[in-house]
Amino acid sequence: MHEIVLKKANVTATADLLSMEDLSAVVALHNKTIAALPEESKRFVLPQNEDYFADLLSGFSGAVVGIKAKGELVAQIAVAGELSIDEAVEKKLITKNNVSFHHVLSEDSIVVFKSLVCDPDWSGNDLGFHTVAAALKTPLVESADNILTQISAANIRSTNMFLSRGFGIVAAGYDPIDNLPRFVFQKPLNGFSFVPNIIADAVDPITDFPAIMKLTERDALVGISEDSSYTSLSFLEVKRIRKQVLQDIRIA
Protein backbone atom coordinates (compact mmCIF):
# COMPACT_ATOMS: atom_id res chain seq x y z
CA MET A 1 0.00 0.00 0.00
CA HIS A 2 1.17 3.53 -0.68
CA GLU A 3 -0.32 6.97 -0.31
CA ILE A 4 -1.22 9.38 -3.12
CA VAL A 5 -2.12 13.05 -2.81
CA LEU A 6 -5.07 13.94 -5.02
CA LYS A 7 -4.43 17.62 -5.60
CA LYS A 8 -7.79 18.76 -6.93
CA ALA A 9 -9.72 17.03 -4.14
CA ASN A 10 -7.00 17.93 -1.62
CA VAL A 11 -7.17 14.51 0.00
CA THR A 12 -4.73 11.67 0.58
CA ALA A 13 -5.71 8.40 -1.09
CA THR A 14 -4.25 4.91 -0.86
CA ALA A 15 -3.31 2.55 -3.69
CA ASP A 16 -3.22 -1.18 -3.05
CA LEU A 17 -4.13 -4.63 -4.34
CA LEU A 18 -7.84 -5.29 -3.89
CA SER A 19 -9.38 -8.48 -2.47
CA MET A 20 -12.61 -10.45 -2.76
CA GLU A 21 -14.04 -8.19 -0.05
CA ASP A 22 -13.96 -5.41 -2.64
CA LEU A 23 -15.88 -7.35 -5.31
CA SER A 24 -19.16 -5.46 -5.05
CA ALA A 25 -17.38 -2.08 -5.05
CA VAL A 26 -15.26 -3.10 -8.06
CA VAL A 27 -18.29 -4.16 -10.10
CA ALA A 28 -20.21 -1.04 -9.07
CA LEU A 29 -17.37 1.31 -10.09
CA HIS A 30 -16.94 -0.50 -13.41
CA ASN A 31 -20.63 -0.15 -14.25
CA LYS A 32 -20.88 3.43 -12.98
CA THR A 33 -17.96 4.56 -15.13
CA ILE A 34 -19.34 2.99 -18.30
CA ALA A 35 -22.80 4.45 -17.67
CA ALA A 36 -21.33 7.95 -17.32
CA LEU A 37 -19.33 7.82 -20.57
CA PRO A 38 -20.69 9.67 -23.62
CA GLU A 39 -22.20 7.31 -26.18
CA GLU A 40 -19.25 7.70 -28.57
CA SER A 41 -16.79 6.81 -25.77
CA LYS A 42 -18.53 3.75 -24.31
CA ARG A 43 -16.48 1.49 -26.60
CA PHE A 44 -13.35 2.57 -24.71
CA VAL A 45 -14.24 0.26 -21.79
CA LEU A 46 -15.51 -3.24 -22.50
CA PRO A 47 -18.30 -4.29 -20.10
CA GLN A 48 -17.30 -7.13 -17.76
CA ASN A 49 -19.35 -9.31 -15.43
CA GLU A 50 -18.86 -10.22 -11.77
CA ASP A 51 -17.14 -13.53 -12.56
CA TYR A 52 -14.46 -11.71 -14.55
CA PHE A 53 -13.51 -9.59 -11.55
CA ALA A 54 -13.91 -12.47 -9.06
CA ASP A 55 -11.28 -14.50 -10.93
CA LEU A 56 -8.87 -11.56 -10.76
CA LEU A 57 -9.55 -10.63 -7.15
CA SER A 58 -9.09 -14.23 -6.03
CA GLY A 59 -5.67 -14.26 -7.68
CA PHE A 60 -6.77 -17.01 -10.06
CA SER A 61 -6.09 -15.05 -13.25
CA GLY A 62 -4.28 -11.96 -12.05
CA ALA A 63 -5.10 -9.06 -9.73
CA VAL A 64 -6.97 -5.77 -9.42
CA VAL A 65 -5.23 -2.62 -8.23
CA GLY A 66 -7.42 0.09 -6.75
CA ILE A 67 -7.28 3.58 -5.31
CA LYS A 68 -9.45 4.45 -2.33
CA ALA A 69 -10.22 7.94 -1.06
CA LYS A 70 -12.45 8.92 1.85
CA GLY A 71 -13.29 5.26 2.33
CA GLU A 72 -14.55 4.65 -1.20
CA LEU A 73 -13.08 3.02 -4.30
CA VAL A 74 -12.44 5.74 -6.89
CA ALA A 75 -10.25 4.02 -9.51
CA GLN A 76 -9.12 0.53 -10.51
CA ILE A 77 -7.28 -1.47 -13.13
CA ALA A 78 -7.28 -5.20 -13.87
CA VAL A 79 -3.95 -6.97 -14.30
CA ALA A 80 -4.20 -10.30 -16.14
CA GLY A 81 -1.28 -12.73 -16.07
CA GLU A 82 1.39 -13.92 -16.00
CA LEU A 83 0.95 -15.39 -19.49
CA SER A 84 2.76 -16.05 -22.72
CA ILE A 85 1.82 -13.91 -25.70
CA ASP A 86 0.06 -16.90 -27.29
CA GLU A 87 -2.02 -17.43 -24.13
CA ALA A 88 -2.93 -13.74 -24.02
CA VAL A 89 -4.12 -13.85 -27.63
CA GLU A 90 -6.00 -17.13 -27.07
CA LYS A 91 -7.83 -15.60 -24.09
CA LYS A 92 -8.60 -12.51 -26.25
CA LEU A 93 -6.82 -10.23 -23.81
CA ILE A 94 -4.90 -8.85 -26.78
CA THR A 95 -6.22 -8.89 -30.33
CA LYS A 96 -4.64 -11.14 -32.93
CA ASN A 97 -5.93 -9.77 -36.20
CA ASN A 98 -2.92 -9.80 -38.52
CA VAL A 99 -0.93 -8.19 -35.70
CA SER A 100 2.79 -8.85 -35.33
CA PHE A 101 4.38 -8.69 -31.89
CA HIS A 102 8.02 -8.03 -32.79
CA HIS A 103 9.12 -7.12 -29.28
CA VAL A 104 7.72 -10.13 -27.42
CA LEU A 105 9.49 -13.49 -27.39
CA SER A 106 7.45 -16.68 -27.20
CA GLU A 107 9.10 -17.56 -23.88
CA ASP A 108 8.50 -14.13 -22.34
CA SER A 109 6.09 -13.72 -19.46
CA ILE A 110 3.61 -10.89 -19.88
CA VAL A 111 0.84 -9.20 -17.96
CA VAL A 112 -2.01 -7.30 -19.59
CA PHE A 113 -3.60 -4.16 -18.19
CA LYS A 114 -7.37 -4.17 -18.71
CA SER A 115 -10.54 -2.42 -17.59
CA LEU A 116 -9.08 0.83 -16.28
CA VAL A 117 -11.91 2.96 -14.85
CA CYS A 118 -12.03 6.10 -12.75
CA ASP A 119 -15.02 7.46 -10.86
CA PRO A 120 -16.38 10.42 -12.88
CA ASP A 121 -17.19 12.22 -9.62
CA TRP A 122 -13.42 12.39 -8.98
CA SER A 123 -12.35 13.64 -12.39
CA GLY A 124 -9.42 16.04 -12.56
CA ASN A 125 -7.32 14.14 -9.99
CA ASP A 126 -5.13 12.24 -12.52
CA LEU A 127 -6.59 8.98 -11.24
CA GLY A 128 -5.72 7.06 -14.42
CA PHE A 129 -2.08 8.09 -14.16
CA HIS A 130 -1.91 7.21 -10.45
CA THR A 131 -3.64 3.85 -10.96
CA VAL A 132 -1.27 2.74 -13.72
CA ALA A 133 1.71 3.94 -11.66
CA ALA A 134 0.50 1.86 -8.71
CA ALA A 135 -0.05 -1.22 -10.88
CA LEU A 136 3.51 -0.98 -12.24
CA LYS A 137 4.82 -1.33 -8.67
CA THR A 138 2.98 -4.57 -7.85
CA PRO A 139 4.97 -7.84 -7.53
CA LEU A 140 2.97 -9.47 -10.32
CA VAL A 141 3.92 -6.75 -12.79
CA GLU A 142 7.50 -6.33 -11.61
CA SER A 143 8.18 -10.04 -12.18
CA ALA A 144 6.93 -10.02 -15.79
CA ASP A 145 9.07 -9.42 -18.88
CA ASN A 146 6.48 -7.18 -20.55
CA ILE A 147 3.35 -5.20 -19.77
CA LEU A 148 0.84 -4.91 -22.60
CA THR A 149 -2.44 -3.08 -22.97
CA GLN A 150 -4.87 -2.45 -25.81
CA ILE A 151 -6.45 0.97 -26.38
CA SER A 152 -8.88 2.40 -28.90
CA ALA A 153 -7.08 4.64 -31.39
CA ALA A 154 -9.72 7.31 -30.68
CA ASN A 155 -9.02 7.31 -26.95
CA ILE A 156 -6.57 10.22 -26.90
CA ARG A 157 -6.66 10.60 -23.11
CA SER A 158 -5.55 7.00 -22.47
CA THR A 159 -2.98 7.21 -25.27
CA ASN A 160 -1.55 10.30 -23.60
CA MET A 161 -1.41 8.63 -20.21
CA PHE A 162 0.23 5.36 -21.30
CA LEU A 163 2.81 7.09 -23.48
CA SER A 164 3.72 9.28 -20.52
CA ARG A 165 4.34 6.11 -18.47
CA GLY A 166 6.93 4.77 -20.93
CA PHE A 167 4.68 2.53 -23.03
CA GLY A 168 5.13 2.44 -26.80
CA ILE A 169 2.77 1.55 -29.63
CA VAL A 170 4.14 -1.73 -30.96
CA ALA A 171 1.16 -3.03 -32.94
CA ALA A 172 -2.05 -1.77 -34.51
CA GLY A 173 -5.06 -3.53 -35.92
CA TYR A 174 -8.82 -3.57 -36.28
CA ASP A 175 -10.38 -5.49 -33.42
CA PRO A 176 -12.02 -8.66 -34.77
CA ILE A 177 -15.00 -8.21 -32.43
CA ASP A 178 -16.15 -4.68 -33.32
CA ASN A 179 -13.80 -3.89 -36.25
CA LEU A 180 -12.63 -0.66 -34.57
CA PRO A 181 -8.99 0.53 -34.75
CA ARG A 182 -6.92 -0.26 -31.67
CA PHE A 183 -3.33 0.18 -30.61
CA VAL A 184 -1.36 -2.39 -28.64
CA PHE A 185 0.94 -0.67 -26.16
CA GLN A 186 3.93 -2.39 -24.60
CA LYS A 187 6.34 -1.60 -21.81
CA PRO A 188 9.22 -4.09 -21.49
CA LEU A 189 10.48 -4.63 -17.97
CA ASN A 190 13.77 -2.95 -18.85
CA GLY A 191 12.41 -0.44 -21.33
CA PHE A 192 13.12 0.42 -24.95
CA SER A 193 16.29 1.94 -26.38
CA PHE A 194 15.23 4.58 -28.91
CA VAL A 195 17.23 5.11 -32.10
CA PRO A 196 17.13 8.78 -33.17
CA ASN A 197 15.81 7.93 -36.62
CA ILE A 198 12.28 9.16 -37.34
CA ILE A 199 10.42 6.73 -39.60
CA ALA A 200 7.22 8.76 -39.84
CA ASP A 201 6.30 12.10 -38.32
CA ALA A 202 3.06 13.95 -37.46
CA VAL A 203 0.93 10.83 -37.88
CA ASP A 204 -2.77 11.18 -37.05
CA PRO A 205 -4.01 8.23 -34.93
CA ILE A 206 -7.33 7.93 -36.80
CA THR A 207 -6.86 9.30 -40.31
CA ASP A 208 -3.51 7.59 -40.76
CA PHE A 209 -4.43 4.34 -39.01
CA PRO A 210 -4.01 2.11 -42.14
CA ALA A 211 -0.50 3.56 -42.55
CA ILE A 212 0.24 2.93 -38.85
CA MET A 213 -0.76 -0.71 -39.30
CA LYS A 214 1.79 -1.04 -42.10
CA LEU A 215 4.46 0.69 -40.02
CA THR A 216 3.99 -1.64 -37.08
CA GLU A 217 4.20 -4.71 -39.31
CA ARG A 218 7.92 -3.95 -39.57
CA ASP A 219 10.36 -4.80 -36.82
CA ALA A 220 11.69 -2.27 -34.33
CA LEU A 221 9.04 0.43 -34.63
CA VAL A 222 7.31 2.19 -31.78
CA GLY A 223 5.00 5.18 -31.51
CA ILE A 224 5.86 8.10 -29.27
CA SER A 225 4.18 11.43 -28.71
CA GLU A 226 5.17 14.32 -30.96
CA ASP A 227 3.99 16.97 -28.52
CA SER A 228 2.14 17.30 -25.25
CA SER A 229 -1.26 17.03 -26.94
CA TYR A 230 -0.60 13.47 -28.19
CA THR A 231 -2.92 14.19 -31.12
CA SER A 232 -0.18 13.23 -33.56
CA LEU A 233 2.55 10.65 -33.33
CA SER A 234 6.11 10.13 -34.49
CA PHE A 235 7.46 6.65 -35.17
CA LEU A 236 11.08 5.88 -34.32
CA GLU A 237 13.24 2.82 -34.55
CA VAL A 238 13.71 1.13 -31.19
CA LYS A 239 15.62 -1.72 -29.67
CA ARG A 240 14.29 -3.56 -26.70
CA ILE A 241 16.75 -3.60 -23.83
CA ARG A 242 17.32 -7.24 -22.95
CA LYS A 243 18.16 -8.46 -19.47
CA GLN A 244 21.40 -10.00 -20.73
CA VAL A 245 22.51 -6.69 -22.23
CA LEU A 246 21.96 -4.94 -18.90
CA GLN A 247 23.87 -7.67 -17.09
CA ASP A 248 26.80 -7.34 -19.53
CA ILE A 249 26.85 -3.57 -18.97
CA ARG A 250 26.89 -3.98 -15.20
CA ILE A 251 29.73 -6.53 -15.38
CA ALA A 252 31.77 -4.28 -17.66
Side-chain angles (χ1 to χ4, degrees):
M1 177 189 293
H2 66 274
E3 294 186 341
I4 300 166
V5 177
L6 304 181
K7 293 183 178 179
K8 182 181 178 181
N10 193 29
V11 300
T12 299
T14 58
D16 202 357
L17 290 171
L18 302 180
S19 69
M20 283 295 291
E21 294 180 356
D22 300 298
L23 179 58
S24 60
V26 167
V27 174
L29 178 58
H30 181 76
N31 293 335
K32 177 182 179 180
T33 304
I34 294 176
L37 289 172
E39 195 61 37
E40 66 274 12
S41 300
K42 289 188 185 297
R43 66 183 185 275
F44 294 168
V45 182
L46 295 177
Q48 303 291 353
N49 60 30
E50 185 175 295
D51 289 343
Y52 167 86
F53 289 110
D55 283 345
L56 291 161
L57 290 167
S58 66
F60 179 74
S61 60
V64 179
V65 177
I67 293 180
K68 295 181 179 180
K70 294 185 175 180
E72 63 177 297
L73 184 64
V74 297
Q76 65 196 30
I77 190 169
V79 183
E82 294 181 10
L83 305 155
S84 68
I85 186 62
D86 291 337
E87 289 171 332
V89 170
E90 182 181 351
K91 293 177 181 293
K92 298 181 180 179
L93 298 172
I94 294 293
T95 185
K96 182 61 175 177
N97 189 2
N98 297 321
V99 168
S100 300
F101 297 98
H102 298 297
H103 300 285
V104 182
L105 302 178
S106 59
E107 65 270 24
D108 281 355
S109 64
I110 69 169
V111 294
V112 182
F113 284 176
K114 303 281 289 183
S115 307
L116 172 63
V117 295
C118 304
D119 192 324
D121 295 337
W122 289 76
S123 63
N125 286 288
D126 295 323
L127 285 173
F129 182 90
H130 290 307
T131 307
V132 171
L136 289 171
K137 296 177 182 178
T138 59
L140 174 63
V141 175
E142 289 183 329
S143 67
D145 294 311
N146 300 282
I147 308 101
L148 275 73
T149 191
Q150 187 167 293
I151 300 171
S152 170
N155 193 345
I156 301 299
R157 179 177 294 181
S158 288
T159 296
N160 180 328
M161 188 263 296
F162 277 99
L163 288 174
S164 71
R165 295 303 306 173
F167 286 75
I169 298 171
V170 294
Y174 292 96
D175 192 281
I177 297 175
D178 55 21
N179 202 38
L180 293 174
R182 284 182 168 81
F183 293 134
V184 177
F185 284 71
Q186 180 183 347
K187 182 180 176 68
L189 176 65
N190 297 309
F192 286 116
S193 174
F194 290 87
V195 178
N197 178 26
I198 295 179
I199 304 300
D201 201 14
V203 179
D204 183 86
I206 301 299
T207 305
D208 298 325
F209 191 79
I212 294 173
M213 287 180 63
K214 291 182 179 179
L215 281 172
T216 56
E217 287 172 1
R218 295 173 51 186
D219 193 12
L221 291 175
V222 65
I224 66 168
S225 65
E226 183 185 58
D227 54 40
S228 59
S229 70
Y230 295 93
T231 55
S232 60
L233 301 167
S234 297
F235 281 79
L236 281 72
E237 284 190 61
V238 299
K239 294 181 179 179
R240 176 180 165 184
I241 302 175
R242 302 290 182 183
K243 293 178 181 177
Q244 188 59 50
V245 173
L246 288 180
Q247 290 172 356
D248 292 342
I249 292 173
R250 292 192 187 103
I251 292 173

